[in-house]
Amino acid sequence: MLREGLEKQEILKILSEKLKKDYSYKSGSILGSMCTEPFDFGVEVYMNYISKNLGDPGLFLGTAELEEELVAEIAGLLNDKNIIGTFTTGGSEANLIAMRIAKELRPDISNPEVVVPCSAHVSFDKAANLLGIKLKKANLDDNFELDLNHFESLINKNTCGVVGIAGTTSLGLIDPIEDIGKIVEDENIFFHVDAAFGGFVLPFMRYLNYKIPAWDFSVKAVDSITADPHKMGLGIIPSGGFFLRDSSILQKLGFEIPYLAGGNFKHFHIVGTRPGGTVIAFWAILKSLGINGFIEIVRECMENTQYLAACINEINGLKLATNPVMNVVGITTENNDSICKIDEKLRKKNWMVGKFEDFNLIRIVVMPHVQKIHLQNFINDLEKIVKELNIS
Ligand code: 0PR
């Protein structure tokens, strides 16, 4: 560390030089990310409130109240006005909280197990590892849909929780939440839905008349949901969301920190100090965009998704892994050629896509920063690469 500080101008110059290495959303080259440029009014609001700490809500009563108001708004989107909720560092923390609740609600089980589809996000592996839970993974069928019979067969007397996904990481698919609900509804098994991605897409797709199966609190057996502002909510990183049907669980299982300056309270979080600015910003984003603003954003993402899907269908040697349900497109090869070489060549041309080797697919997430012109350029390059590699 320097003894004498540098001039601000000099520091800013160094930073802008160093950060040139970063890829930007605006350039369109980031095609495989579930994050995007936050909504600009949210950024403006965030900058005013960066020091708010929801880890000590007794000091920031106004911020805590805004968090409650925000949960109430989202409760409307998730179809149960009586839920409680809180904002986390992301989907991983929200899923970890859900897994902990599933385990703690069943102290009678000494070797707890949770059943997830094998398309579940890696955060469930992390949570299982940290909590000493055995994760049981249910197979997918040839269309990447959950094999419900296999899922059911993995449930036994040690099962404390099950997970369904509304917007899978690899393909944006929706698990049969109602069917999973029927399997567990009379059992003492916690049912968590991971809608980290889908949470701020699916409610708006309904307004656009897409047929979306029930996936939220309208399904009686669903106990909790992850839905992340910093994905399709256009929120500021880091902001995930955890929503819970039975508010009494907070009293039972919340952690207490008795010495806080603002006084005692109960919380589920893994982190202590917790950003309030991101929550205030998301409150402002929802107020500013309204339902119609989100509908327009989702409409454009879905139009671009359909455009991309149609283009992929035209390229000899490539095919869609499955028809996109939301704004995620999986691309695979027609004759089982490895997708890795395509991914490598795409990277050389600065197209940063997601690669899922297990499923032999590359993933494009058609986020709001992805414009049609970016997709046209991408398709041109992709077509050339497929020819160069003699994929047919
Ligand atoms: N659940 C689902 C269904 C997810 O897809 C993700 C992350 C999570 C939970 C965990 O969320 P956090 O990352 O907020 O903890 N899915 C993204 C993905 O794997 C994460 C990501 C985001 C990766 C941006 C790359 C990237 O550029 O695609």
Side-chain angles (χ1 to χ4, degrees), residues 33-35 90-92 95 121 123 167 169 194 196 228 230-231 363:
S33 172
M34 284 187 171
C35 292
S92 299
N95 288 340
H121 185 257
S123 49
T169 303
D194 181 3
D228 289 353
H230 72 198
K231 295 188 171 69
R363 176 195 74 172

Side-chain angles (χ1 to χ4, degrees), residues 78-96:
L78 300 179
N79 276 315
D80 185 345
K81 294 232 155 67
N82 297 317
I83 58 167
I84 58 167
T86 190
F87 294 90
T88 64
T89 52
S92 299
E93 191 190 359
N95 288 340
L96 177 54

Side-chain angles (χ1 to χ4, degrees), residues 360-371:
N360 196 40
L361 63 87
I362 52 176
R363 176 195 74 172
I364 312 295
V365 191
V366 189
M367 294 300 288
H369 64 265
V370 177
Q371 302 295 307

